[in-house]
Amino acid sequence: ASLIPLPQSRTHDPSLTTTIQTIIRDLSETNCKIASLHLLMQRIQEYDNGQHVKRQQIISSLLFLSSNDKVLYYECCTSSTSLQDFAILDEDWFKEVASCVFSQHCKRQITNRRLSSLSQSSSMDESSPMLQSMEIARKTEQYKDSNSSAPYHVDHISQLWDVLSNCAAINAKDSDTMWHREAFIRTAVEKAYPTTQLDYEEQSKAIFSYLRCLLVHHGV
């Protein structure tokens, strides 16, 4: 899916846009990868000695900078999340975040977590396809390093995948689990807000929701 923002046309304040571009450059030098509008507004006030700037003015400047490949910024909204709330300062960082969803390591993590969750459930009937799939997984592990024929291994992996594929490919809990484990994402979350505004859990919840909506926006 393309990572190019949808074209937007909006009158902007050149002076404010220059200030925001300078702030983005300074934030990038501190390894900030994604910035909330709260953080940008705070920095603008510090930069211009307390000057009050409206949110819509910042959005207009970000849209202009985005159209000139200086930042990744999106104006569209979903029913639950506004893509206006954050600006991505490092496109390569976002590509790495998105790549987590497609990695084989990610798929193994999701499969293992779902199997583990099922194994702890006491309400599953023994004839459940999910429980049967877990038994297949255990047998596959036993046969993996043995001299048994390859077709058995392949056939049963296929059966396991057929069952698991009936689940949602990636849900909110899956993506949160993946992203929480990545140090480069945790570091970005910590830098995205003014230091005294929210705790890490609140920040990560807002940013992960934004990232999921952004991936959906790009058709992922």
Side-chain angles (χ1 to χ4, degrees):
S2 171
L3 298 182
I4 300 174
L6 295 176
Q8 300 285 348
S9 176
R10 185 73 59 82
T11 302
H12 70 103
D13 178 346
S15 176
L16 176 60
T17 300
T18 300
T19 297
I20 292 176
Q21 186 172 0
T22 300
I23 290 169
I24 288 173
R25 183 198 62 204
D26 293 345
L27 288 171
S28 296
E29 289 177 355
T30 67
N31 205 33
C32 181
K33 306 298 185 182
I34 179 172
S36 65
L37 255 63
H38 297 291
L39 177 59
L40 293 176
M41 189 171 294
Q42 181 195 64
R43 292 301 179 93
I44 291 168
Q45 291 174 348
E46 293 172 355
Y47 194 88
D48 286 337
N49 297 319
Q51 176 187 356
H52 177 71
V53 179
K54 294 181 179 179
R55 175 186 172 93
Q56 194 57 55
Q57 291 177 288
I58 299 175
I59 289 174
S60 296
S61 290
L62 288 172
L63 288 170
F64 176 81
L65 292 171
S66 181
S67 69
N68 288 277
D69 299 326
K70 303 299 183 183
V71 67
L72 285 177
Y73 187 73
Y74 305 80
E75 191 180 20
C76 56
C77 304
T78 69
S79 59
S80 59
T81 301
S82 171
L83 295 183
Q84 296 178 350
D85 293 340
F86 297 93
I88 295 176
L89 313 188
D90 186 338
E91 182 176 353
D92 289 336
W93 175 84
F94 174 58
K95 289 178 179 178
E96 193 171 355
V97 170
S99 71
C100 291
V101 176
F102 299 102
S103 71
Q104 290 301 316
H105 177 63
C106 156
K107 291 178 181 178
R108 286 195 298 270
Q109 282 185 332
I110 292 171
T111 300
N112 289 338
R113 185 178 65 78
R114 288 176 175 169
L115 288 173
S116 176
S117 177
L118 286 170
S119 68
Q120 295 170 9
S121 173
S122 59
S123 60
M124 296 286 289
D125 184 87
E126 291 184 0
S127 62
S128 163
M130 280 297 194
L131 277 182
Q132 291 176 8
S133 74
M134 290 166 54
E135 182 61 24
I136 292 170
R138 284 192 288 269
K139 288 182 178 179
T140 299
E141 289 300 315
Q142 293 171 4
Y143 278 83
K144 190 183 298 181
D145 299 320
S146 71
N147 294 324
S148 298
S149 61
Y152 177 90
H153 175 72
V154 173
D155 288 346
H156 285 71
I157 284 291
S158 177
Q159 292 176 38
L160 174 60
W161 179 250
D162 286 343
V163 174
L164 291 177
S165 62
N166 290 324
C167 304
I170 298 289
N171 58 35
K173 189 172 183 179
D174 291 332
S175 60
D176 287 0
T177 299
M178 285 187 302
W179 290 334
H180 273 303
R181 291 178 177 175
E182 297 291 345
F184 79 96
I185 297 178
R186 293 198 305 272
T187 299
V189 168
E190 292 168 355
K191 292 177 177 288
Y193 282 88
T195 53
T196 60
Q197 187 170 25
L198 299 173
D199 62 26
Y200 176 81
E201 289 303 319
E202 291 176 307
Q203 291 180 195
S204 63
K205 182 178 180 181
I207 291 175
F208 291 173
S209 177
Y210 165 81
L211 291 172
R212 283 193 298 272
C213 289
L214 190 51
L215 290 176
V216 171
H217 176 66
H218 284 300
V220 176

